[in-house]
Amino acid sequence: MNDFLLAGMIAAERLPAAHESKTAVLSELKNSLAGASGEQRTASLLKRELDLPGEAIFLSDVHIPYKDGAAQIDLLLVHKEFVCVLEVKNMIGEFYFDTVNFQFHRVVDGRREGMRNPEAQLHRAVRAASGFLGVPVQGVIVLASRSGKVVEAPKHYPVVSLDYLPFHLEQLANGLKLFDTAALASKLENLPARNFSHHWLERHNITFDSLRLGVTCPTCRTCSLDWQERKWNCGVCGFYSRGAHEVTLQEYALLFGSELDTRLAYRLLGVKNKYVLYRLLEKTAPQSEVRGKRQIVENRELLRDYFGRIYR
């Protein structure tokens, strides 16, 4: 799970139903989950069945600087004989690529839906990767769902089904060692982390005060826990835990940054006693050098584990 997907999960859980962006957030999360599922199936299949000489390095959710922004790449395969961008589409329906105007639409149950053109997305990603790495880069559109069918094919890039993808990639190998895979992969892995949160929150008009605050019960997921007798307790389902607040702190860090104002911490966790707050934050968000500020010790794996159990 990348940060974008985690942010959608947090907002879906904490935004009240009346919030203006609740429907949009839920719809965006549904599409993101479908896309992530397709990318995961693609990566798993290639790691299991792709037969290439030497090591093949797979990088997922890569953001490469391009012009005034960044190009997002679903999956990037780096091999000594070729480099290939995989634009994965986990969609159903009949697909039509307009090779004159470079538009794209699909037909599902008789309904025509205009969408972003996967070929244009792939072309942008290929140019960004090639320019950043300084090497020629291939590209392919991958249909991760067996319920998708191409009626009119794109002009510049191939479209292949997931089942055929290993064979397609194997045909790109030419028997020559052209690239230093370790050097290329290192250059990509050392790219700075993408900070999307400010723009995403602004686009959906999400602020700290628009969220349901408190430590979420992982069982009920719609109510907050109370701190009683040195543990978090749910008055609805009976759940209890000593460390449930750690997920809440990680949620805040992902959305708003790791610096936490002590005054906000009371509201975030839903506690009033300063001694309780200090004990809860002693290791997970120690005091910083700035008075009244704390620094959350970031741990994305904690969030991935928490939401991984919810969105299995």
Side-chain angles (χ1 to χ4, degrees), residues 212 215-226 228 232-240:
R212 173 184 54 77
V215 177
T216 301
C217 174
T219 304
C220 299
R221 293 182 53 210
T222 56
C223 62
S224 298
L225 303 172
D226 296 317
Q228 298 174 347
W232 295 103
N233 298 271
C234 179
V236 177
C237 69
F239 171 85
Y240 65 90

Side-chain angles (χ1 to χ4, degrees), residues 36-232:
S37 174
E39 292 163 22
Q40 185 177 25
R41 290 203 307 276
T42 301
S44 297
L45 175 72
L46 292 180
K47 291 175 182 178
R48 186 175 66 249
E49 297 190 10
L50 185 61
D51 185 14
L52 288 170
E55 182 183 17
I57 299 176
F58 297 93
L59 301 172
S60 60
D61 192 38
V62 181
H63 295 263
I64 296 180
Y66 184 65
K67 296 187 176 180
D68 294 331
Q72 189 270 341
I73 297 176
D74 295 335
L75 285 172
L76 184 61
L77 170 58
V78 180
H79 185 259
K80 64 181 181 180
E81 299 182 34
F82 67 92
V83 178
C84 187
V85 173
L86 283 65
E87 179 69 27
V88 182
K89 293 301 174 186
N90 190 21
M91 303 186 299
I92 64 173
E94 297 178 340
F95 307 139
Y96 296 79
F97 292 83
D98 183 342
T99 59
V100 176
N101 300 309
F102 291 97
Q103 295 177 327
F104 172 79
H105 72 271
R106 69 170 176 171
V107 175
V108 181
D109 297 329
R111 302 188 317 274
R112 173 174 170 153
E113 300 177 355
M115 305 177 71
R116 290 183 65 188
N117 189 343
E119 185 177 27
Q121 292 175 269
L122 176 58
H123 185 61
R124 187 171 187 270
V126 167
R127 292 188 64 180
S130 180
F132 180 75
L133 295 174
V135 301
V137 174
Q138 308 280 345
V140 58
I141 299 170
V142 182
L143 300 185
S145 172
R146 291 190 177 93
S147 299
K149 176 184 178 183
V150 177
V151 179
E152 292 183 10
K155 184 175 183 179
H156 297 291
Y157 292 95
V159 181
V160 302
S161 67
L162 181 57
D163 293 334
Y164 184 74
L165 181 61
F167 304 103
H168 173 81
L169 294 176
E170 288 163 8
Q171 291 172 1
L172 297 180
N174 54 21
L176 300 175
K177 181 178 179 181
L178 303 175
F179 310 119
D180 184 336
T181 55
L184 294 181
S186 176
K187 189 173 183 180
L188 292 163
E189 290 166 349
N190 288 329
L191 283 168
R194 180 186 177 222
N195 184 4
F196 75 94
S197 57
H198 176 75
H199 173 73
W200 187 81
L201 292 170
E202 191 176 69
R203 177 161 62 88
H204 287 300
N205 195 26
I206 298 174
T207 65
F208 179 77
D209 289 322
S210 65
L211 300 172
R212 173 184 54 77
L213 303 177
V215 177
T216 301
C217 174
T219 304
C220 299
R221 293 182 53 210
T222 56
C223 62
S224 298
L225 303 172
D226 296 317
W227 180 260
Q228 298 174 347
E229 299 179 354
R230 298 193 175 187
K231 61 180 181 291
W232 295 103

